[in-house]
Amino acid sequence: MRAAVFGVSDGLVSNVSLILGFAGASAPVETVRLAGLAGLVAGAVSMAAGEYISVRAQTELLQRELDLERHSLHQNPEQEIRELALIYRRRGIDPDVADAMAKSAMATPELALETHAREEIGVNPASLGSPHLAALASFVAFALGAIIPLIPWYVTAGSAAIIASVVVGSITAFGVGLALAGFTGRSRWFSAFRQLAIAAFAAGVTTLVGHLVG
Ligand SMILES: [Zn+2]
């Protein structure tokens, strides 16, 4: 969910800035539409690619750690039992109970790997995350955020479209800020106005640059 909210935020801020940058340069409506569409597709694809690579790298790293753990459980079961018992003792579990728990975790290779992976690496071997799903989620989230300021340009043009982009962009940025407050625990108003300020700043800078260069 958090990645999705950030994805929507990235799509919104980068595309509202791009669109207003072109509008600031008085580009014809066809050009603004094209720029908005290119921004949406290029941004969504690069976000998805980035997310795919980072989650793929993370899962490969964890898979390697799991393979090492599986190997060690097979090669040195006694040492692994002592290690796990030590982890439980450090948590304040009675030494005898800790030893018994560590021994019983070796009942089957799957249970042993799952227990050691959870206690030593902090992961559940069954859910290392899917790079494809993460990439798809990023693609959709970015595209959702990016299409919002673009829609007005398919309905109207000129200053009406600029105003509409700014209004729907602001409302969405505000909404994203409220959603983020759910994760950060910050004040909803603070988070919403901060998100609005960030989007306004980014769009303002690109509009100015578009105006100066245009
Ligand atoms: Zn272990």
Side-chain angles (χ1 to χ4, degrees), residues 11 20 28 33 38 50 59 86 91 98-99 110 124 130-131 138 141 151 161 164 166 174 182 194 201-202 207 209-210:
L20 292 180
R33 285 178 188 161
T59 50
L86 195 59
R91 286 205 197 129
D99 293 351
E110 293 73 33
N124 173 358
S130 151
S138 281
I151 292 170
V166 170
F174 201 83
R194 178 179 58 185
F201 175 74
T207 306
V209 171

Side-chain angles (χ1 to χ4, degrees), residues 55-129:
V55 174
R56 161 76 52 203
Q58 188 192 335
T59 50
E60 282 170 2
L61 177 75
L62 289 175
Q63 196 53 58
R64 198 176 112 72
E65 294 225 15
L66 286 174
D67 293 344
L68 287 173
E69 185 65 23
R70 186 183 291 112
H71 181 74
S72 175
L73 281 165
H74 186 68
Q75 295 293 332
N76 332 298
E78 293 311 317
Q79 187 197 327
E80 283 291 338
I81 291 172
R82 278 197 299 277
E83 252 180 47
L84 187 59
L86 195 59
I87 291 173
Y88 289 143
R89 287 174 187 223
R90 282 207 188 111
R91 286 205 197 129
I93 294 173
D94 172 82
D96 295 336
V97 177
D99 293 351
M101 285 169 67
K103 277 200 189 82
S104 61
M106 302 296 272
T108 67
E110 293 73 33
L111 176 64
L113 182 65
E114 195 205 314
T115 310
H116 282 250
R118 202 178 49 243
E119 304 297 352
E120 292 172 20
I121 312 171
V123 296
N124 173 358
S127 67
L128 294 184

Side-chain angles (χ1 to χ4, degrees), residues 10 16 24 33-34 37 51 57 70 72 87 98 120 130 140 149 151 153 158 160 174 179 193 203 206:
D10 283 350
V16 78
R33 285 178 188 161
L34 191 59
L37 209 55
E51 191 71 12
R70 186 183 291 112
S72 175
I87 291 173
E120 292 172 20
S130 151
V140 171
I151 292 170
W153 293 87
F174 201 83
F193 280 110
T206 47

